[in-house]
Amino acid sequence: MALLITDDCINCDVCEPECPNEAIFLGAEIYEIDPNKCTECVGHFDEPQCVQVCPVACIPVDPRHRETQETLWQKYHRLQSVIPVIVAR
């Protein structure tokens, strides 16, 4: 499940730096969450950090992006995989 920032967002800027996956960004009017990067903090924390710091409680589960815990773990591992850099000699 990815999370979603609703129109109740007041652009307070507290959620964006809390996201360990850098999934939160400033959209045209309010902050938004990239569902391809959001793992609901699975692999990093026990609870979504953006939800914890949001002063207006405007970050529910996105009904368009429901995922199982297993899928969130798979996404976490995919996002954390390191691609080796080949250095020319």
Side-chain angles (χ1 to χ4, degrees):
M1 293 171 272
L3 299 173
L4 167 74
I5 298 176
T6 68
D7 291 340
D8 294 331
C9 176
I10 59 172
N11 289 330
C12 66
D13 303 320
V14 298
C15 62
E16 188 263 341
E18 295 299 319
C19 182
N21 295 321
E22 299 179 351
I24 300 174
F25 61 96
L26 186 57
E29 295 183 23
I30 59 173
Y31 278 91
E32 297 179 24
I33 297 177
D34 180 345
N36 296 313
K37 292 182 176 181
C38 179
T39 64
E40 292 189 39
C41 290
V42 165
H44 297 282
F45 301 101
D46 291 335
E47 299 178 43
Q49 297 302 287
C50 59
V51 173
Q52 293 299 307
V53 299
C54 182
V56 293
C58 68
I59 309 176
V61 171
D62 185 343
R64 298 170 297 176
H65 298 282
R66 295 208 178 266
E67 298 170 286
T68 65
Q69 281 293 111
E70 181 180 332
T71 303
L72 291 172
W73 273 106
Q74 290 171 356
K75 188 188 304 185
Y76 164 76
H77 289 294
R78 179 180 50 81
L79 291 169
Q80 297 304 309
S81 65
V82 177
I83 299 172
V85 176
I86 299 173
V87 177
R89 295 183 189 197

